[in-house]
Amino acid sequence: LDAALELIDREGAAALTMRRLGAELDVEAMSLYRHVPGRDALLDGISEVMMQELRIAPATGDWTRCARSFATGIRGIARRHPEAFALVGLRALNTPDALRPIEVLLRSLRDEGFTPAEAVGAYRLLASFARGYALIEMTGFTLAPREEGASSLRIDGLPAKDFPVIHELSRQLTRGTTDAQFTLGLDTIIAGLQAKQSH
Amino acid sequence: LDAALELIDREGAAALTMRRLGAELDVEAMSLYRHVPGRDALLDGISEVMMQELRIAPATGDWTRCARSFATGIRGIARRHPEAFALVGLRALNTPDALRPIEVLLRSLRDEGFTPAEAVGAYRLLASFARGYALIEMTGFTLAPREEGASSLRIDGLPAKDFPVIHELSRQLTRGTTDAQFTLGLDTIIAGLQAKQSH
DNA sequence: ACCTGAACACCGTTCAAGT
DNA sequence: ACCTGAACACCGTTCAAGT
């Protein structure tokens, strides 16, 4: 089961077939059906294993620390398992293991002045941003920070008359690490949560 | 090509095969290769067609209107094409058509006091949230707003000793429309952008 | 130019049979 | 209990051949 994750990391998501995975484990593909109901359950299992890597800072009076570690933790998983991360982006993770970090985050928020509705909203906002950013980052930004191969369109190739602002901002669009971009977004979200919390 | 999108909408993403699509068009599967290099290019094409549905409010002096319509527009596409939306979540969209709404948004931001770096950061934050939220929503929330079938874990089934806060907040986690949740997140982001902009 | 038929090298999954 | 072999109903893609 971890072998499946390792196989995806090593050879890409397309390489994960029942037959290839069987070969990896020195077993016929059909034997896997003794241990897992089918391919889809296998993908669920991989998502779960991946999300178990998420470590969140303990709730110690500063909810922003929890919020930050939650979001950066999700993105960290995406960076460690870029090929596999699309799976968790496309699946609900309702297992106890996946819920533990969420419990910590929600406790931290609720203990520090968030109303129940605000706490839930904050959690979902952070989760959406982290997954969305990681997914977009993994698959290549629209207007990529670094030109990274054939699929990304070069800004210089765009008709300048139709896209004057994109041209004007091309330096900012193509420069900067994706780390900085992520942190900036996270900062803004936390600022927004603070702004809404205070009144 | 629109036939492919219609097929996914109607019968699910799994039903889109070269052979099925060929049948849909009363043609052999192999004929499709005259018009498209392969299956992957076809998926790119579908993403593009879908994103052409994105209409953004014109820049008229209130960037929050552009920002809101950009984010809600992306989510609207996801709601209209739930099965197909995973494709755009997993692909960079660097075609002129996909860039046009981004041009409008960036212009609006830059004309209304955002520095170039802030404008780019705001755009990427909005795009990440919208895609991330839509994707999570489509595939079922972790801790679902509505119990929606087998894959979602019932909160009552969780050991209350291990997850006291989730239990405490279960009303807020399971109630409320997903529309309200989305708007709330978007409000928070816009509040954050305003907070960062003003100092 | 566009479409077809047969073929190749794969898939996930089932099921009766082995140990 | 666990694994295997053969089989079934599919895939995407190639390529020579048709009109």
Side-chain angles (χ1 to χ4, degrees), chain A residues 9 19 23 31 39 44 84 87 101 123 127 136 139 147 156 181 195:
Chain A
D9 285 344
R19 288 162 144 101
S31 308
R39 183 168 202 271
D44 274 327
L87 296 180
Y123 144 64
I136 289 177
T139 58
E147 290 88 293
D156 343 351
Q181 300 274 351

Side-chain angles (χ1 to χ4, degrees), chain A residues 108-129:
Chain A
S108 168
L109 293 168
R110 192 220 42 188
D111 284 355
E112 295 171 47
F114 282 73
T115 66
E118 285 171 348
V120 170
Y123 144 64
R124 280 214 237 272
L125 171 53
L126 288 163
S128 299
F129 170 66

Side-chain angles (χ1 to χ4, degrees), chain B residues 39-108:
Chain B
R39 183 168 202 271
D40 222 59
L42 195 145
L43 298 179
D44 273 328
I46 296 169
S47 303
E48 207 185 322
V49 166
M50 236 183 317
M51 287 310 276
Q52 283 170 7
E53 294 181 14
L54 180 58
R55 292 287 169 270
I56 185 172
T60 53
D62 181 3
W63 64 266
T64 66
R65 286 197 59 216
C66 283
R68 293 198 121 88
S69 68
F70 180 73
T72 28
I74 289 174
R75 176 162 171 267
I77 292 173
R79 308 214 88 193
R80 259 169 283 137
H81 308 287
E83 282 285 336
F85 188 74
L87 296 179
V88 0
L90 300 176
R91 242 151 257 266
L93 298 165
N94 284 314
T95 61
D97 275 342
L99 260 32
R100 222 164 309 263
I102 298 172
E103 168 79 13
V104 175
L105 174 63
L106 287 173
R107 182 206 309 281
S108 169

